[in-house]
Amino acid sequence: MRKHRLAAALAAAFPFACAVHAQAVPGPTRDLGIVTITGGQPTSLPTQVTTTMEGITRTEIERAINATDSEDALKYFPSLLVRKRYIGDYNHAILSSRASGTGNSARSAVYADGILLSNYLGNGVGGLSFPPRWGLVTPEEIDRVDVMYGPFSAAYPGNSVGAVVDYVTRMPTRLEGHVRVGYVVQPFELYGTNETYRSWQASASVGSKSGDWSYWINVNRTDSEGQPLGFASRTVSTGTVGTSGTAVTGAVPERNTANAPIYYIGHSTQYHTIQDHAKIKLAYDFSPTVRAAYTFGSWQNTSTNRPQSYLRNASGAVVTSGAININGASFGAVTGGDLPLTEEKLTHFMHGFSVKSRTQGLFDWEVSASLYDYDRDHKRQNAGGNTLPGAATGGAGTLADGSGTGWQTLALRGTWRPGGEKGAHIVDFGWQHAGYKLDYLTSSITGNWLADAPGAVSSDVGGRTRLQALWAQDVWRLAPTWKAVLGGRLERWTASEGRTRIPGATPAINTAWPDRTETSFSPKAALSWQWRPDTVLKASLGRAVRYPTVGELYGATSTVNSQSINDPNLKPEKSWTAELSAERELGNGLARLTFFAENTRDALYSQTTFDPLANRNVSRVQNVGRIATQGLEAAFNAQDVSLKGLDLQASVTYAHSIIKENAGFVSVPGDTVGKRQPNIPRWRASALASYRWNDAFSTSVGARYSGQQFRTLDNADVNGFTYFGVSRFFVVDLRAQWKISKTVTGAFGIDNVGNDKYWNFHPYPQRSYVAELKADF
């Protein structure tokens, strides 16, 4: 990757230049650790905050990364991990960062061209799931990706405490078209499953600029078979010696996360998902310095889950119901909760609109708004007593309907340069509004769960949250070699219309929660010093307040195989984050060493455990008293290393993240204090080397490593190599790209070459073979 990404690269991208047919532009220039690129689409990230930033361009992605989804562009960024389980993963692909794990989706901010993709209706996964809406950006749309680490810009809410990611997508300057097809094969062997899963993708795009008008249209279809993700089990110690129950074979002996013996009796989750994406971008230049832009995105998903039993009776028939007997011990009946079938049909729409000026003179301004709408969000599932094989064609079940859920944003922003572009001060300021609405109605179906209308209400939960903010920050050039950034963010948060209605509970629950309002102020500061001509030193400090999401406050759900318990009295989590960095130019690259620290009080955590008596997963959200994290991150990036055409990037991160205080507990009081923060490994590293053999052919090798980590607050999950566990891993990926002709390019890759079997609650993909063919016109 080129180190345009160092800092707020791309700062002066005012020419609105294009992607594929962009004209040559001047090379990057550095000023107190900030890199400025005078070409390409403008980033939404702050362009002057002197803190750690990284980035990657479209060319680098295409040459070196097997990118089937937009989140794959982040695969080799320092300290970042996206928990992507399969191609098109729409409900669990959560971004983690230095001190925020894969259970904390609300501790990062993901945008596309400044439009919010992060789903702050909830946090993590539980009864509902809230990953960023990655599907609204396809890999072929990407012009580049920029990442800012930490909550050091006043322009972002407290959710930015982990990282801020901005996908900058293409907007051409002349007629261009693109067609791409891809195919992935994954042989998968685990427990009683030995299958090959296949996925394919096809996309087409066209764009142009005519006079003051520009447009970009992209369509994409993904048809993906994922590997099994969840597994039904029986704990050996719960069996009763005897002959009752159907004697079965096929149960797989294993150990759970606590190292207790268990049997896996089947896989409970294996998705086949078909996703259709459409994007239209329009732009109109009122003048060379004022542009209006509108973006419409449509994402449709049809997903089917079909479980599979491993059990066979004496005659060899598949066993999918009733009490079972394994090795002379009887166990509870197999139910529809063990082997659930689901059908999901989702249609989501995204709108984004902005008008902005880019004079780079005394004053610039911007007005922007966005809307994300769950137009249709249906999930059908069989009931616990409705078991296979009959459940495959009908019977009782439920319909969960999230239609009408969504969020909207509005922002006003200005930039004042009293001394011009090179003056002593550049002041950014603005006002922001973000509103979130959750409506989630679950109803029973007594006839045919696959097709019938909803019946009696099982649960009805929802509510609204709203965040309004005033912010300002001043970039102050103290001296030719010194620059400071001082800022602050004043926020007012409101939670309202909260409700939790569960008629079937004992006693019945029908609660309208009282409204809440809170305010907070978050100061920010950064300082950079050009210590030597090739070395810059930087320091950053920022406070972040992450308010509870509407799902955490009100989103209780209950299905046959899962339950989520809400808490309307949750406190906002409050973090102080700091970093110290040294960056050194190496002529053909850059080396960076960063010390980071974070102190978080009232951390918001959702924990999922398995209740063997109820035979279902139970998720609870809670505040954790205080978590302290300190760490070091080293990154290196260079081009033409030792020989022309060899580019190398590498990073290694050490994090010491400990729960210091917590009144809550898992089993006994105090059992979480002194334990490691869940989903934060002590060590992680990545490396990516690409070599351009000639103008037509290139190859790359990537490697990713993560050390041991825990998923539970009490660190009782000592076995990470099983369902519910989080394991260490070392994965190597390969890619070769061949430019067959002037317009046609082919690529072949292998992800997870060593076929490492590793876990993050669910199993990650095993060795996968990737083939692509692309034509550019």
Side-chain angles (χ1 to χ4, degrees):
M1 303 177 191
R2 295 197 318 262
K3 209 62 177 172
H4 83 270
R5 32 186 207 191
L6 283 180
L10 345 196
F14 57 87
F16 304 109
C18 77
V20 169
H21 298 296
Q23 297 178 353
V25 295
T29 59
R30 291 180 55 80
D31 181 15
L32 287 171
I34 296 176
V35 176
T36 297
I37 300 294
T38 55
Q41 290 295 100
T43 182
S44 72
L45 296 185
T47 59
Q48 297 292 331
V49 176
T50 55
T51 190
T52 300
M53 293 197 183
E54 298 281 346
I56 188 171
T57 66
R58 180 182 76 258
T59 300
E60 294 162 340
I61 296 170
E62 292 177 346
R63 186 172 63 230
I65 299 175
N66 299 318
T68 56
D69 295 288
S70 60
E71 61 266 38
D72 291 328
L74 304 174
K75 194 180 291 185
Y76 303 102
F77 274 67
S79 303
L80 298 188
L81 169 71
V82 178
R83 183 176 170 253
K84 175 187 164 183
R85 305 166 301 166
Y86 60 93
I87 295 170
D89 191 350
Y90 62 97
N91 57 4
H92 278 248
I94 291 173
L95 172 66
S96 67
S97 54
R98 292 167 174 168
S100 302
T102 50
N104 282 322
S105 59
R107 294 191 103 238
S108 60
V110 180
Y111 297 85
D113 301 317
I115 300 171
L116 181 67
L117 297 184
S118 284
N119 188 343
Y120 297 145
L121 292 165
N123 182 41
V125 294
L128 305 174
S129 57
F130 304 96
R133 302 288 84 190
W134 305 108
L136 267 298
V137 177
T138 61
E140 54 272 24
E141 287 184 82
I142 297 171
D143 192 36
R144 68 173 184 275
V145 186
D146 304 317
V147 176
M148 180 181 71
Y149 291 75
F152 303 120
S153 170
Y156 295 99
N159 309 89
S160 65
V161 62
V164 182
V165 179
D166 184 36
Y167 285 84
V168 181
T169 64
R170 299 156 77 162
M171 182 60 85
T173 57
R174 66 182 189 184
L175 182 63
E176 61 177 75
H178 312 273
V179 178
R180 176 184 175 274
V181 292
Y183 188 68
V184 180
V185 177
Q186 180 198 176
F188 184 87
E189 184 177 354
L190 183 67
Y191 304 140
T193 301
N194 189 352
E195 301 284 348
T196 297
Y197 300 100
R198 296 172 173 85
S199 302
W200 67 267
Q201 294 177 303
S203 67
S205 55
V206 63
S208 186
K209 179 174 174 63
S210 178
D212 295 326
W213 286 95
S214 305
Y215 71 90
W216 171 265
I217 301 172
N218 174 261
V219 293
N220 175 279
R221 166 162 277 210
T222 296
D223 189 328
S224 171
E225 296 177 335
Q227 76 277 7
L229 301 173
F231 300 88
S233 65
R234 293 293 184 270
T235 305
V236 172
S237 62
T238 64
T240 302
V241 176
T243 59
S244 63
T246 301
V248 296
T249 59
V252 181
E254 246 291 7
R255 290 184 175 271
N256 63 17
T257 57
N259 260 336
I262 60 173
Y263 292 114
Y264 282 127
I265 63 173
H267 72 66
S268 57
T269 308
Q270 187 268 314
Y271 289 120
H272 176 206
T273 180
I274 299 175
Q275 299 177 13
D276 292 305
H277 158 102
K279 175 79 67 68
I280 299 175
K281 293 174 60 180
L282 300 173
Y284 180 75
D285 296 330
F286 291 101
S287 71
T289 59
V290 178
R291 165 172 284 195
Y294 170 72
T295 299
F296 170 77
S298 171
W299 178 76
Q300 298 185 64
N301 179 37
T302 300
S303 179
T304 301
N305 171 47
R306 291 297 181 263
Q308 183 181 80
S309 173
Y310 297 154
L311 305 178
R312 302 293 186 269
N313 62 19
S315 62
V318 178
V319 176
T320 57
S321 63
I324 55 176
N325 191 291
I326 304 173
N327 296 331
S330 61
F331 293 88
V334 179
T335 71
D338 291 304
L339 302 174
L341 295 83
T342 62
E343 297 274 350
E344 294 186 65
K345 294 185 181 297
L346 316 175
T347 300
H348 294 185
F349 296 127
M350 178 186 76
H351 303 267
F353 177 76
S354 67
V355 182
K356 62 180 70 176
S357 72
R358 285 188 175 271
T359 66
Q360 301 298 306
L362 177 65
F363 185 75
D364 276 311
W365 54 270
E366 177 181 350
V367 179
S368 62
S370 70
L371 171 69
Y372 193 94
D373 176 32
Y374 285 44
D375 181 69
R376 180 177 66 169
D377 198 278
H378 291 171
K379 179 178 180 179
R380 293 176 178 268
Q381 181 172 334
N382 62 310
N386 182 18
T387 58
L388 287 168
T393 57
T398 58
L399 170 61
D401 185 356
S403 305
T405 293
W407 62 85
Q408 27 78 22
T409 68
L410 176 63
L412 310 177
R413 178 172 181 163
T415 299
W416 178 44
R417 307 176 186 89
E421 181 73 12
K422 298 296 184 179
H425 293 271
I426 298 178
V427 181
D428 292 303
F429 57 92
W431 173 85
Q432 297 170 348
H433 162 89
Y436 304 90
K437 175 187 176 183
L438 176 67
D439 281 316
Y440 205 75
L441 175 67
T442 303
S443 306
S444 63
I445 297 174
T446 56
N448 184 349
W449 70 273
L450 289 163
D452 286 357
V457 172
S458 299
S459 66
D460 178 17
V461 300
R464 297 173 181 262
T465 59
R466 182 180 65 192
L467 186 67
Q468 295 180 320
L470 286 170
W471 64 274
Q473 59 192 24
D474 178 19
V475 179
W476 181 14
R477 182 177 289 274
L478 302 169
T481 58
W482 289 87
K483 181 177 284 188
V485 182
L486 299 174
R489 182 178 180 89
L490 179 63
E491 295 178 315
R492 179 181 175 87
W493 173 81
T494 302
S496 62
E497 302 179 31
R499 68 184 187 279
T500 302
R501 186 161 68 99
I502 306 178
T506 306
I509 299 173
N510 188 2
T511 304
W513 303 106
D515 295 353
R516 293 175 54 186
T517 298
E518 298 194 27
T519 60
S520 63
F521 180 73
S522 299
K524 320 281 184 177
L527 184 68
S528 65
W529 175 36
Q530 194 75 46
W531 175 44
R532 299 172 59 181
D534 62 353
T535 306
V536 63
L537 305 180
K538 299 189 292 186
S540 303
L541 177 67
R543 184 179 191 250
V545 178
R546 203 280 271 180
Y547 286 100
T549 63
V550 63
E552 291 169 314
L553 295 169
Y554 311 127
T557 59
S558 181
T559 67
V560 64
N561 60 339
S562 68
Q563 179 183 14
S564 178
I565 301 172
N566 67 305
D567 184 351
N569 299 310
L570 290 169
K571 303 174 185 177
E573 69 173 36
K574 299 166 282 291
S575 301
W576 278 99
T577 303
E579 72 167 37
L580 299 172
S581 290
E583 293 179 353
R584 183 176 181 182
E585 287 277 9
L586 304 174
N588 64 334
L590 184 137
R592 171 175 60 83
L593 181 64
T594 299
F595 167 79
F596 58 89
E598 180 178 295
N599 190 73
T600 300
R601 291 194 175 274
D602 298 318
L604 287 159
Y605 250 96
S606 177
Q607 287 274 281
T608 300
T609 57
F610 179 71
D611 183 346
L613 297 178
N615 193 29
R616 63 179 178 177
N617 298 336
V618 179
S619 300
R620 292 179 173 84
V621 62
Q622 58 189 284
N623 286 113
V624 174
R626 184 169 72 91
I627 300 176
T629 304
Q630 302 87 34
L632 284 172
E633 179 183 88
F636 170 81
N637 188 291
Q639 299 78 43
D640 299 327
V641 180
S642 298
L643 68 161
K644 185 175 178 60
L646 178 61
D647 297 342
L648 176 64
Q649 67 154 32
S651 68
V652 60
T653 302
Y654 172 79
H656 182 73
S657 189
I658 301 296
I659 299 172
K660 296 291 188 179
E661 303 171 15
N662 191 20
F665 56 91
V666 177
S667 300
V668 295
D671 62 1
T672 66
V673 177
K675 302 300 174 63
R676 289 164 56 179
Q677 181 185 177
N679 296 104
I680 302 296
R682 287 279 174 86
W683 290 97
R684 69 183 89 180
S686 67
L688 181 64
S690 64
Y691 182 63
R692 301 181 301 280
W693 298 85
N694 52 48
D695 291 340
F697 187 68
S698 65
T699 56
S700 68
V701 179
R704 296 167 285 141
Y705 169 79
S706 177
Q708 182 192 23
Q709 51 191 297
F710 299 95
R711 191 186 58 80
T712 61
L713 290 167
D714 63 351
N715 296 179
D717 51 326
V718 293
N719 178 19
F721 292 91
T722 190
Y723 185 38
F724 275 68
V726 185
S727 69
R728 65 181 183 276
F729 64 83
F730 177 71
V731 176
V732 176
D733 310 317
L734 304 177
R735 181 173 175 84
Q737 186 189 50
W738 176 33
K739 193 168 182 58
I740 301 169
S741 69
K742 184 177 180 180
T743 59
V744 179
T745 303
F748 176 78
I750 305 175
D751 281 341
N752 191 3
V753 172
N755 203 31
D756 194 13
K757 295 181 179 180
Y758 62 114
W759 297 75
N760 192 330
F761 196 102
H762 306 282
Y764 277 109
Q766 295 178 12
R767 184 188 296 118
S768 303
Y769 302 89
V770 183
E772 301 171 13
L773 189 65
K774 181 169 69 78
D776 301 308
F777 306 100

